[in-house]
Amino acid sequence: MIEVTVSTRNGTYPVLVGAGLLHGLPEFLTEHVDVNRFAIISDDNVAPLYGEGLLEATRAVGLDARLFTFPAGEASKTRKTWSILTDDLLEAGFGRDSCVVAVGGGVTTDIAGFVAATFMRGVPVVQVPTSYLAMIDASVGGKTGVDAKAGKNLVGAFHPPALVVADPHSLATLPREERAEGLVEAFKHGAILDDAYFEQLNETAVALLDADTKLSEEAVCRSVELKASVVSEDEFESGYRQILNFGHTLGHALEAASSYRLGHGKAVALGMVLEA
């Protein structure tokens, strides 16, 4: 296991990276979050793969947990889904003594984080990313939010997680094309911050697309280190952190113009080419 520390205005949080870490998640939860109930949020693709198993494992160690799901895909990253999830938590009796556990890719990371940021005016969130996009980028830095008709990620909040647990083993369950979309964010980090890392990604791209465990661990760790260095210096994107938006300004416009039929990774890749 490798641990990267991210600094925030109110303290720090750890990002844990390592193959097999999902098996120890209940113990990590009790170690890092002092609450009584856990609301596990996942989309209906990831829930059968990891959400349901986490629910059972969490309950097996005596923790009070419940699983909440929503339809997979960018089309669900809306205020309507946020409203449904928050209402479901309220109906289930969750309160300020709760923690949201986001299990999934970038959409889940963003929307579950936004639920945590706004539920009862803010409860802790633990990010459990299961895709390259979520591990490398979306789970780190505290940005949460949903899309609006006017564009992507225009409604949201900064809400840093209490803990991030990234297990590269989960990458094997993704389609190869989706792994490619997520790796775009790694290439972005290399392009703006680390030439040697960029070249390493070029050399190992095929193995990373095949979800090679060792190389995936290395790439996720390096990207998290790079993003953490930026976020720790400028948490609320008042200046320097804007460097992480390379490719995203035009990329988000392309996504919106395509009604989100164009994948995020492809849009950002095109955005980086156009902006460069």
Side-chain angles (χ1 to χ4, degrees):
M1 181 179 73
I2 299 171
E3 180 174 335
V4 180
T5 300
V6 184
S7 298
T8 73
R9 178 180 59 184
N10 297 317
T12 63
Y13 61 88
V15 179
L16 309 180
V17 183
L21 287 186
L22 285 182
H23 298 298
L25 193 55
E27 288 74 21
F28 293 133
L29 293 177
T30 56
E31 179 182 351
H32 292 277
V33 189
D34 184 20
V35 299
N36 295 320
R37 304 189 73 189
F38 294 89
I40 302 169
I41 296 179
S42 190
D43 69 35
D44 55 11
N45 284 342
V46 176
L49 293 171
Y50 302 109
E52 293 171 3
L54 175 58
L55 177 66
E56 293 176 7
T58 304
R59 288 176 170 175
V61 297
L63 300 177
D64 186 356
R66 182 162 172 176
L67 176 63
F68 301 87
T69 63
F70 64 92
E74 188 76 28
S76 288
K77 203 172 119 176
T78 63
R79 282 167 287 186
K80 180 179 179 181
T81 304
W82 165 84
S83 176
I84 292 170
L85 288 169
T86 50
D87 284 347
D88 286 347
L89 263 65
L90 290 168
E91 289 174 11
F94 281 80
R96 292 198 59 79
D97 61 341
S98 307
C99 173
V100 170
V101 183
V103 183
V107 171
T108 300
T109 297
D110 284 356
I111 197 164
F114 189 42
V115 169
T118 52
F119 187 74
M120 298 287 171
R121 296 189 176 89
V123 297
V125 60
V126 171
Q127 296 285 1
V128 185
T130 60
S131 69
Y132 269 134
L133 173 63
M135 291 182 193
I136 286 168
D137 192 65
S139 66
V140 179
K143 276 188 176 181
T144 72
V146 295
D147 303 334
K149 287 183 179 180
K152 188 177 170 74
N153 296 331
L154 295 181
V155 179
F158 286 97
H159 189 63
L163 169 70
V164 180
V165 180
D167 185 343
H169 275 168
S170 65
L171 297 170
T173 57
L174 291 169
R176 199 168 190 266
E177 184 174 345
E178 193 167 335
R179 291 196 287 266
E181 298 247 0
L183 281 172
V184 169
E185 297 286 355
F187 277 94
K188 177 198 75 176
H189 290 149
I192 62 177
L193 294 166
D194 189 336
D195 290 347
Y197 179 45
F198 186 86
E199 291 306 320
Q200 178 186 339
L201 291 170
N202 272 317
E203 293 169 4
T204 58
V206 173
L208 288 169
L209 287 172
D210 291 334
D212 178 277
T213 300
K214 183 176 182 297
L215 292 174
S216 296
E217 276 187 3
E218 292 176 357
V220 169
C221 285
R222 186 56 187 148
S223 272
V224 169
E225 288 170 350
L226 290 169
K227 184 166 186 181
S229 69
V230 175
V231 171
S232 295
E233 185 173 328
D234 178 19
E235 182 180 358
F236 299 110
E237 203 174 59
S238 58
Y240 179 50
R241 183 171 175 169
Q242 292 176 27
I243 195 173
L244 295 173
N245 291 333
F246 178 47
H248 286 63
T249 303
L250 294 179
H252 285 174
L254 291 168
E255 281 187 89
S258 72
S259 299
Y260 301 103
R261 290 188 296 272
L262 183 66
H264 177 72
K266 289 179 180 176
V268 170
L270 289 167
M272 286 194 287
V273 171
L274 291 168
E275 290 171 24

